[in-house]
Protein backbone atom coordinates (compact mmCIF):
# COMPACT_ATOMS: atom_id res chain seq x y z
CA UNK A 1 0.00 0.00 0.00
CA UNK A 2 1.01 3.58 -0.39
CA UNK A 3 0.99 4.73 3.24
CA UNK A 4 0.66 3.13 6.66
CA UNK A 5 0.25 4.16 10.29
CA UNK A 6 3.07 5.51 12.45
CA UNK A 7 4.14 2.06 13.59
CA UNK A 8 4.42 0.93 9.96
CA UNK A 9 6.22 3.32 7.64
CA UNK A 10 4.77 4.19 4.19
CA UNK A 11 5.35 1.65 1.50
CA UNK A 12 6.45 2.32 -2.04
CA UNK A 13 5.34 -0.53 -4.20
CA UNK A 14 3.84 -2.16 -7.26
CA UNK A 15 4.60 -4.62 -9.95
CA UNK A 16 2.44 -5.63 -12.85
CA UNK A 17 -0.75 -5.33 -14.73
CA UNK A 18 -4.49 -5.10 -14.39
CA UNK A 19 -6.91 -3.83 -17.01
CA UNK A 20 -8.78 -0.54 -16.93
CA UNK A 21 -12.49 -1.24 -17.17
CA UNK A 22 -13.55 2.08 -18.68
CA UNK A 23 -12.15 4.64 -21.07
CA UNK A 24 -12.44 7.35 -18.38
CA UNK A 25 -10.84 5.45 -15.52
CA UNK A 26 -7.27 6.03 -14.43
CA UNK A 27 -5.27 3.93 -12.00
CA UNK A 28 -2.29 4.30 -9.70
CA UNK A 29 -1.05 0.92 -8.56
CA UNK A 30 1.84 -0.26 -6.44
CA UNK A 31 3.28 -3.68 -5.79
CA UNK A 32 5.88 -4.79 -3.30
CA UNK A 33 7.59 -8.15 -3.71
CA UNK A 34 9.85 -9.74 -1.12
CA UNK A 35 11.54 -13.07 -1.79
CA UNK A 36 13.30 -15.64 0.33
CA UNK A 37 15.47 -18.40 -1.10
CA UNK A 38 14.93 -17.35 -4.74
CA UNK A 39 18.29 -17.42 -6.57
CA UNK A 40 19.32 -14.74 -9.06
CA UNK A 41 16.45 -12.45 -8.08
CA UNK A 42 16.43 -9.36 -5.80
CA UNK A 43 15.14 -9.89 -2.27
CA UNK A 44 12.99 -6.81 -2.73
CA UNK A 45 11.40 -5.29 -5.86
CA UNK A 46 9.04 -2.33 -6.09
CA UNK A 47 7.39 -0.60 -9.04
CA UNK A 48 4.75 2.05 -9.70
CA UNK A 49 2.16 1.82 -12.49
CA UNK A 50 0.01 4.64 -13.85
CA UNK A 51 -2.71 3.51 -16.24
CA UNK A 52 -0.89 0.18 -16.62
CA UNK A 53 2.38 1.88 -17.62
CA UNK A 54 5.41 1.42 -15.37
CA UNK A 55 6.62 4.84 -14.25
CA UNK A 56 8.94 3.98 -11.33
CA UNK A 57 11.11 1.18 -9.99
CA UNK A 58 13.49 0.25 -7.20
CA UNK A 59 14.99 -2.86 -5.61
CA UNK A 60 17.28 -3.71 -2.70
CA UNK A 61 20.38 -3.14 -4.87
CA UNK A 62 19.51 0.51 -5.54
CA UNK A 63 20.08 3.57 -3.37
CA UNK A 64 17.33 5.63 -4.99
CA UNK A 65 14.07 5.09 -6.85
CA UNK A 66 14.27 5.36 -10.63
CA UNK A 67 11.67 7.08 -12.87
CA UNK A 68 10.92 4.92 -15.92
CA UNK A 69 9.22 7.44 -18.24
CA UNK A 70 10.53 10.75 -19.58
CA UNK A 71 7.51 12.68 -18.32
CA UNK A 72 7.95 11.20 -14.84
CA UNK A 73 11.63 12.22 -14.89
CA UNK A 74 10.53 15.76 -15.75
CA UNK A 75 8.07 15.72 -12.85
CA UNK A 76 10.74 14.46 -10.43
CA UNK A 77 13.26 17.04 -11.67
CA UNK A 78 10.75 19.78 -11.00
CA UNK A 79 9.88 18.35 -7.59
CA UNK A 80 13.03 16.70 -6.13
CA UNK A 81 11.29 16.04 -2.80
CA UNK A 82 8.88 13.73 -4.62
CA UNK A 83 11.74 11.50 -5.77
CA UNK A 84 13.36 11.69 -2.33
CA UNK A 85 10.12 10.56 -0.73
CA UNK A 86 9.86 7.52 -3.01
CA UNK A 87 13.54 6.65 -2.45
CA UNK A 88 13.05 6.80 1.32
CA UNK A 89 9.98 4.57 1.19
CA UNK A 90 11.87 2.09 -0.96
CA UNK A 91 14.58 1.77 1.68
CA UNK A 92 12.23 1.71 4.68
CA UNK A 93 9.87 -0.80 3.12
CA UNK A 94 12.63 -3.28 2.40
CA UNK A 95 13.20 -3.77 6.12
CA UNK A 96 9.53 -3.92 7.12
CA UNK A 97 8.66 -6.39 4.39
CA UNK A 98 11.69 -8.47 5.21
CA UNK A 99 10.27 -8.76 8.72
CA UNK A 100 6.86 -9.75 7.29
CA UNK A 101 8.18 -12.66 5.28
CA UNK A 102 10.48 -13.86 8.09
CA UNK A 103 7.56 -13.72 10.52
CA UNK A 104 5.34 -15.71 8.17
CA UNK A 105 7.96 -18.38 7.64
CA UNK A 106 8.41 -18.75 11.37
CA UNK A 107 4.67 -18.83 12.15
CA UNK A 108 3.98 -21.34 9.35
CA UNK A 109 7.04 -23.39 10.31
CA UNK A 110 8.65 -22.99 6.88
CA UNK A 111 12.40 -23.31 6.33
CA UNK A 112 14.76 -23.82 3.44
CA UNK A 113 12.37 -23.42 0.49
CA UNK A 114 11.69 -20.44 -1.75
CA UNK A 115 8.90 -18.09 -0.67
CA UNK A 116 7.39 -14.92 -2.16
CA UNK A 117 5.31 -12.27 -0.41
CA UNK A 118 3.57 -9.58 -2.46
CA UNK A 119 1.47 -6.59 -1.65
CA UNK A 120 -0.72 -4.86 -4.25
CA UNK A 121 -2.40 -1.57 -3.50
CA UNK A 122 -3.52 1.70 -4.99
CA UNK A 123 -6.59 3.42 -6.35
CA UNK A 124 -8.72 4.03 -9.42
CA UNK A 125 -10.31 7.35 -10.35
CA UNK A 126 -13.07 8.01 -12.87
CA UNK A 127 -12.37 11.44 -14.32
CA UNK A 128 -15.99 11.84 -15.48
CA UNK A 129 -17.93 10.77 -12.39
CA UNK A 130 -15.20 11.52 -9.84
CA UNK A 131 -15.67 8.07 -8.30
CA UNK A 132 -12.65 6.76 -6.38
CA UNK A 133 -12.00 3.18 -5.32
CA UNK A 134 -9.05 1.89 -3.30
CA UNK A 135 -7.59 -1.56 -2.78
CA UNK A 136 -4.94 -3.22 -0.66
CA UNK A 137 -4.19 -6.94 -0.66
CA UNK A 138 -1.43 -9.41 0.12
CA UNK A 139 -0.44 -12.62 -1.61
CA UNK A 140 1.88 -15.32 -0.34
CA UNK A 141 3.49 -17.98 -2.52
CA UNK A 142 1.16 -17.17 -5.40
CA UNK A 143 -2.12 -17.30 -3.44
CA UNK A 144 -4.35 -14.63 -1.89
CA UNK A 145 -3.43 -14.14 1.75
CA UNK A 146 -5.28 -11.16 3.25
CA UNK A 147 -7.31 -8.28 1.77
CA UNK A 148 -8.60 -4.98 3.13
CA UNK A 149 -12.36 -4.39 2.86
CA UNK A 150 -12.75 -0.60 2.76
CA UNK A 151 -16.53 -0.82 3.19
CA UNK A 152 -16.38 -2.56 6.55
CA UNK A 153 -12.83 -1.40 7.30
CA UNK A 154 -11.78 -4.92 8.26
CA UNK A 155 -9.35 -7.46 6.84
CA UNK A 156 -10.55 -10.56 5.01
CA UNK A 157 -8.51 -13.75 5.34
CA UNK A 158 -9.30 -16.38 2.67
CA UNK A 159 -6.63 -18.67 4.13
CA UNK A 160 -6.70 -20.10 7.64
CA UNK A 161 -3.00 -19.25 7.99
CA UNK A 162 -3.86 -15.54 7.75
CA UNK A 163 -6.53 -15.54 10.48
CA UNK A 164 -4.10 -14.58 13.24
CA UNK A 165 -2.88 -11.66 11.14
CA UNK A 166 -6.49 -10.58 10.50
CA UNK A 167 -7.30 -10.46 14.22
CA UNK A 168 -4.19 -8.44 15.01
CA UNK A 169 -4.67 -5.97 12.14
CA UNK A 170 -8.42 -5.57 12.79
CA UNK A 171 -7.57 -4.51 16.33
CA UNK A 172 -5.27 -1.72 15.09
CA UNK A 173 -7.94 0.95 14.47
CA UNK A 174 -5.45 3.75 13.83
CA UNK A 175 -3.79 1.78 11.07
CA UNK A 176 -7.16 1.00 9.50
CA UNK A 177 -8.09 4.68 9.40
CA UNK A 178 -4.71 5.53 7.91
CA UNK A 179 -5.28 2.92 5.22
CA UNK A 180 -8.68 4.36 4.35
CA UNK A 181 -7.45 7.97 4.26
CA UNK A 182 -4.44 7.19 2.13
CA UNK A 183 -6.30 5.02 -0.39
CA UNK A 184 -9.34 7.28 -0.75
CA UNK A 185 -7.70 10.71 -0.45
CA UNK A 186 -3.90 10.75 -0.81
CA UNK A 187 -3.59 8.15 -3.57
CA UNK A 188 -6.14 9.86 -5.88
CA UNK A 189 -4.32 13.20 -5.44
CA UNK A 190 -1.09 11.57 -6.60
CA UNK A 191 -2.94 9.90 -9.46
CA UNK A 192 -4.52 13.14 -10.71
CA UNK A 193 -1.13 14.82 -10.62
CA UNK A 194 0.48 12.02 -12.64
CA UNK A 195 -2.34 11.87 -15.20
CA UNK A 196 -2.14 15.64 -15.72
CA UNK A 197 1.63 15.59 -16.10
CA UNK A 198 1.75 12.54 -18.37
CA UNK A 199 -1.47 13.16 -20.30
CA UNK A 200 0.23 13.38 -23.72
CA UNK A 201 1.82 9.96 -23.22
CA UNK A 202 -1.01 8.30 -21.27
CA UNK A 203 -3.84 9.52 -23.49
CA UNK A 204 -2.21 8.73 -26.83
CA UNK A 205 -3.47 6.15 -29.32
CA UNK A 206 -1.04 3.78 -31.06
CA UNK A 207 -2.21 1.30 -33.68
CA UNK A 208 -0.51 -2.11 -33.83
CA UNK A 209 1.23 -4.10 -36.51
CA UNK A 210 -0.76 -7.28 -37.18
CA UNK A 211 0.76 -10.54 -38.45
CA UNK A 212 -0.43 -14.07 -39.13
CA UNK A 213 1.85 -16.70 -37.57
CA UNK A 214 1.92 -20.50 -37.80
CA UNK A 215 4.49 -22.94 -36.38
CA UNK A 216 3.70 -25.94 -38.60
CA UNK A 217 1.14 -26.67 -41.35
CA UNK A 218 -1.04 -28.47 -38.79
CA UNK A 219 -0.76 -25.77 -36.09
CA UNK A 220 -3.44 -23.12 -35.49
CA UNK A 221 -2.95 -19.80 -37.25
CA UNK A 222 -2.25 -17.04 -34.74
CA UNK A 223 -3.35 -13.50 -35.47
CA UNK A 224 -0.86 -11.41 -33.48
CA UNK A 225 -1.08 -7.65 -32.83
CA UNK A 226 1.73 -5.75 -31.11
CA UNK A 227 2.60 -2.14 -30.36
CA UNK A 228 -0.89 -0.84 -29.58
CA UNK A 229 -1.90 1.58 -26.80
CA UNK A 230 -3.99 1.79 -24.68
CA UNK A 231 -4.78 -1.77 -23.67
CA UNK A 232 -8.53 -1.40 -24.22
CA UNK A 233 -8.65 -3.57 -27.31
CA UNK A 234 -10.25 -6.73 -28.66
CA UNK A 235 -9.41 -9.13 -31.47
CA UNK A 236 -11.40 -11.96 -33.04
CA UNK A 237 -11.74 -14.18 -36.11
CA UNK A 238 -14.65 -13.87 -38.58
CA UNK A 239 -16.09 -16.15 -41.22
CA UNK A 240 -18.17 -14.50 -43.94
CA UNK A 241 -18.34 -11.39 -41.75
CA UNK A 242 -19.64 -13.21 -38.63
CA UNK A 243 -17.52 -13.70 -35.50
CA UNK A 244 -16.26 -17.26 -35.00
CA UNK A 245 -16.31 -18.81 -31.51
CA UNK A 246 -15.54 -22.48 -32.15
CA UNK A 247 -11.90 -23.57 -32.54
CA UNK A 248 -10.76 -20.11 -31.39
CA UNK A 249 -8.37 -19.45 -28.48
CA UNK A 250 -8.11 -15.87 -27.17
CA UNK A 251 -4.83 -14.85 -25.55
CA UNK A 252 -4.37 -12.26 -22.81
CA UNK A 253 -3.33 -8.67 -23.39
CA UNK A 254 0.35 -8.48 -22.40
CA UNK A 255 2.70 -5.51 -21.92
CA UNK A 256 5.71 -4.74 -24.11
CA UNK A 257 8.92 -3.25 -22.71
CA UNK A 258 8.15 0.14 -24.29
CA UNK A 259 4.80 0.59 -22.55
CA UNK A 260 2.69 -0.64 -25.48
CA UNK A 261 0.74 -3.91 -25.53
CA UNK A 262 0.37 -7.11 -27.52
CA UNK A 263 -2.27 -9.80 -27.90
CA UNK A 264 -3.12 -12.77 -30.12
CA UNK A 265 -6.05 -14.97 -31.07
CA UNK A 266 -5.57 -18.46 -32.53
CA UNK A 267 -7.76 -20.21 -35.09
CA UNK A 268 -7.62 -23.99 -35.58
CA UNK A 269 -7.98 -24.91 -39.25
CA UNK A 270 -8.02 -28.70 -38.83
CA UNK A 271 -11.60 -28.90 -40.13
CA UNK A 272 -11.29 -26.10 -42.70
CA UNK A 273 -10.45 -26.92 -46.32
CA UNK A 274 -7.92 -24.72 -48.15
CA UNK A 275 -10.69 -23.51 -50.46
CA UNK A 276 -12.55 -22.03 -47.47
CA UNK A 277 -9.62 -20.01 -46.10
CA UNK A 278 -10.61 -16.94 -48.12
CA UNK A 279 -13.84 -16.78 -46.08
CA UNK A 280 -11.93 -15.99 -42.87
CA UNK A 281 -10.37 -12.78 -41.59
CA UNK A 282 -8.95 -11.46 -38.32
CA UNK A 283 -10.30 -8.22 -36.84
CA UNK A 284 -8.46 -5.96 -34.38
CA UNK A 285 -10.51 -3.24 -32.66
CA UNK A 286 -8.97 -0.49 -30.48
CA UNK A 287 -11.35 1.35 -28.19
CA UNK A 288 -11.83 4.94 -29.30
CA UNK A 289 -10.55 4.28 -32.83
CA UNK A 290 -13.26 4.18 -35.50
CA UNK A 291 -11.61 1.88 -38.05
CA UNK A 292 -10.85 -1.79 -37.42
CA UNK A 293 -7.73 -3.48 -38.75
CA UNK A 294 -8.84 -6.44 -40.87
CA UNK A 295 -6.36 -9.12 -41.99
CA UNK A 296 -7.49 -11.71 -44.54
CA UNK A 297 -6.50 -15.33 -43.97
CA UNK A 298 -4.02 -15.89 -46.78
CA UNK A 299 -1.38 -18.62 -46.96
CA UNK A 300 0.97 -16.24 -48.79
CA UNK A 301 1.21 -13.80 -45.86
CA UNK A 302 1.56 -16.31 -43.02
CA UNK A 303 4.94 -16.12 -41.28
CA UNK A 304 6.40 -19.43 -40.13
CA UNK A 305 9.59 -21.00 -38.76
CA UNK A 306 9.22 -24.24 -40.69
CA UNK A 307 11.80 -25.23 -43.32
CA UNK A 308 10.44 -24.92 -46.90
CA UNK A 309 9.75 -28.21 -48.68
CA UNK A 310 11.22 -28.56 -52.22
CA UNK A 311 9.98 -30.94 -54.95
CA UNK A 312 12.07 -34.09 -55.30
CA UNK A 313 12.81 -33.40 -58.99
CA UNK A 314 14.16 -29.96 -58.15
CA UNK A 315 16.43 -31.42 -55.46
CA UNK A 316 17.83 -34.06 -57.87
CA UNK A 317 18.45 -31.40 -60.54
CA UNK A 318 20.35 -29.20 -58.11
CA UNK A 319 22.51 -32.13 -56.94
CA UNK A 320 23.36 -33.16 -60.54
CA UNK A 321 24.22 -29.59 -61.45
CA UNK A 322 26.55 -29.29 -58.47
CA UNK A 323 28.31 -32.56 -59.45
CA UNK A 324 28.88 -31.32 -63.03
CA UNK A 325 30.25 -28.04 -61.70
CA UNK A 326 32.58 -29.96 -59.38
CA UNK A 327 33.95 -32.07 -62.29
CA UNK A 328 34.64 -28.94 -64.37
CA UNK A 329 36.46 -27.32 -61.45
CA UNK A 330 38.64 -30.39 -60.84
CA UNK A 331 39.50 -30.68 -64.57
CA UNK A 332 40.43 -27.00 -64.75
CA UNK A 333 42.60 -27.33 -61.67
CA UNK A 334 44.40 -30.34 -63.19
CA UNK A 335 45.16 -28.46 -66.47
CA UNK A 336 46.37 -25.42 -64.52
CA UNK A 337 48.74 -27.54 -62.47
CA UNK A 338 50.19 -29.23 -65.62
CA UNK A 339 50.83 -25.83 -67.24
CA UNK A 340 52.60 -24.66 -64.15
CA UNK A 341 54.85 -27.76 -64.17
CA UNK A 342 56.41 -27.08 -67.56
CA UNK A 343 53.75 -28.32 -69.99
CA UNK A 344 52.90 -25.82 -72.73
CA UNK A 345 49.57 -25.19 -74.44
CA UNK A 346 49.05 -27.26 -77.65
CA UNK A 347 49.39 -24.28 -80.02
CA UNK A 348 52.81 -23.44 -78.65
CA UNK A 349 54.39 -26.91 -79.01
CA UNK A 350 57.23 -27.32 -81.54
Amino acid sequence: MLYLSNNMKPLFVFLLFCHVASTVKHSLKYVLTATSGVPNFPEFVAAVMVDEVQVGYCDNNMKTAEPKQDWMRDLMNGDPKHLQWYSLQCIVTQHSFRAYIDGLKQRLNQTGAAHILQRMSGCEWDDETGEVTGFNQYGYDGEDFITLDLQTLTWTAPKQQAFTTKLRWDADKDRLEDNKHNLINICPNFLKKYVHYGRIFLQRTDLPSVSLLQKTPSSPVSCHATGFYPDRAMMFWRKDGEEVHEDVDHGEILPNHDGSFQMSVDLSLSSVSPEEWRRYDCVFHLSGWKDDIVTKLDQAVIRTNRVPEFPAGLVVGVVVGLLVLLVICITGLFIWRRNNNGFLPVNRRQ
Side-chain angles (χ1 to χ4, degrees):
M1 122 164 226
L2 186 57
Y3 304 81
L4 295 179
S5 60
N6 290 335
N7 60 351
M8 292 183 67
K9 297 296 183 180
L11 293 180
F12 161 69
V13 291
F14 204 63
L15 193 58
L16 287 177
F17 8 89
C18 291
H19 290 98
V20 181
S22 168
T23 58
V24 296
K25 277 190 177 180
H26 300 282
S27 61
L28 172 59
K29 302 178 182 180
Y30 300 81
V31 104
L32 170 73
T33 301
T35 64
S36 175
V38 179
N40 303 318
F41 193 82
E43 293 184 352
F44 174 86
V45 173
V48 182
M49 311 288 289
V50 176
D51 287 359
E52 319 310 327
V53 176
Q54 185 179 358
V55 300
Y57 173 86
C58 79
D59 60 43
N60 59 286
N61 297 316
M62 302 171 60
K63 297 184 181 297
T64 183
E66 177 184 350
K68 302 300 288 187
Q69 301 294 333
D70 290 340
W71 61 267
M72 181 59 81
R73 292 188 186 92
D74 293 341
L75 187 153
M76 296 299 184
N77 290 334
D79 185 5
K81 290 185 178 180
H82 206 75
L83 179 59
Q84 293 172 6
W85 184 86
Y86 271 116
S87 298
L88 176 61
Q89 306 322 311
C90 183
I91 295 172
V92 170
T93 304
Q94 294 180 37
H95 301 291
S96 60
F97 227 70
R98 182 75 262 166
Y100 288 171
I101 196 170
D102 288 344
L104 276 174
K105 288 170 56 181
Q106 183 177 2
R107 180 151 51 86
L108 300 177
N109 195 27
Q110 296 174 330
T111 58
H115 299 284
I116 300 176
L117 177 65
Q118 289 185 294
R119 180 177 187 166
M120 299 186 353
S121 62
C123 57
E124 289 187 341
W125 163 60
D126 191 314
D127 65 5
E128 284 192 356
T129 66
E131 180 185 5
V132 171
T133 56
F135 52 90
N136 184 13
Q137 62 190 70
Y138 286 81
Y140 186 61
D141 287 348
E143 297 182 347
D144 292 342
F145 187 73
I146 192 168
T147 303
L148 177 63
D149 186 336
L150 283 173
Q151 300 298 320
T152 62
L153 213 55
T154 57
W155 292 92
T156 301
K159 295 289 184 180
Q160 182 64 33
Q161 295 94 324
F163 191 70
T164 301
T165 303
K166 165 186 164 54
L167 295 178
R168 187 169 67 252
W169 289 3
D170 280 349
D172 192 341
K173 301 301 181 182
D174 290 339
R175 179 187 173 192
L176 287 169
E177 290 296 333
D178 282 348
N179 272 263
K180 181 178 180 180
H181 174 70
N182 293 319
L183 292 173
I184 301 302
N185 298 303
I186 304 300
C187 178
N189 289 338
F190 273 37
L191 174 57
K192 293 173 185 178
K193 180 176 183 178
Y194 298 156
V195 169
H196 174 75
Y197 216 92
R199 61 189 179 278
I200 295 178
F201 177 82
L202 295 171
Q203 296 176 12
R204 75 190 194 279
T205 298
D206 293 340
L207 295 178
S209 62
V210 180
S211 304
L212 298 182
L213 311 174
Q214 190 179 34
K215 293 181 179 179
T216 68
S218 60
S219 300
V221 173
S222 178
C223 186
H224 181 257
T226 186
F228 61 89
Y229 185 91
D231 66 341
R232 296 182 289 274
M234 61 186 299
M235 193 160 60
F236 54 91
W237 282 98
R238 294 187 312 193
K239 179 182 180 182
D240 297 333
E242 297 292 332
E243 183 175 354
V244 178
H245 298 284
E246 293 185 2
D247 298 322
V248 173
D249 184 18
H250 291 270
E252 297 181 358
I253 296 179
L254 302 174
N256 292 321
H257 69 281
D258 60 359
S260 65
F261 296 91
Q262 62 172 294
M263 67 185 305
S264 63
V265 57
D266 296 348
L267 172 66
S268 175
L269 296 170
S270 57
S271 60
V272 179
S273 65
E275 293 76 17
E276 291 186 316
W277 279 35
R278 59 184 178 81
R279 301 171 62 185
Y280 290 83
D281 54 37
C282 171
V283 180
F284 175 88
H285 174 76
L286 186 64
S287 179
W289 191 260
K290 61 179 181 179
D291 297 323
D292 294 336
I293 299 177
V294 180
T295 306
K296 297 290 293 184
L297 179 58
D298 185 349
Q299 180 72 50
V301 300
I302 294 178
R303 299 165 59 184
T304 179
N305 292 327
R306 64 180 183 270
V307 179
E309 296 180 0
F310 297 100
L314 177 61
V315 174
V316 171
V318 171
V319 171
V320 171
L322 290 175
L323 289 175
V324 171
L325 180 62
L326 180 61
V327 170
I328 294 173
C329 292
I330 293 175
T331 303
L333 177 62
F334 174 73
I335 294 173
W336 177 85
R337 294 192 58 174
R338 288 184 59 186
N339 286 332
N340 283 274
N341 282 315
F343 292 96
L344 297 175
V346 173
N347 62 358
R348 291 186 58 188
R349 289 186 180 176
Q350 299 184 8

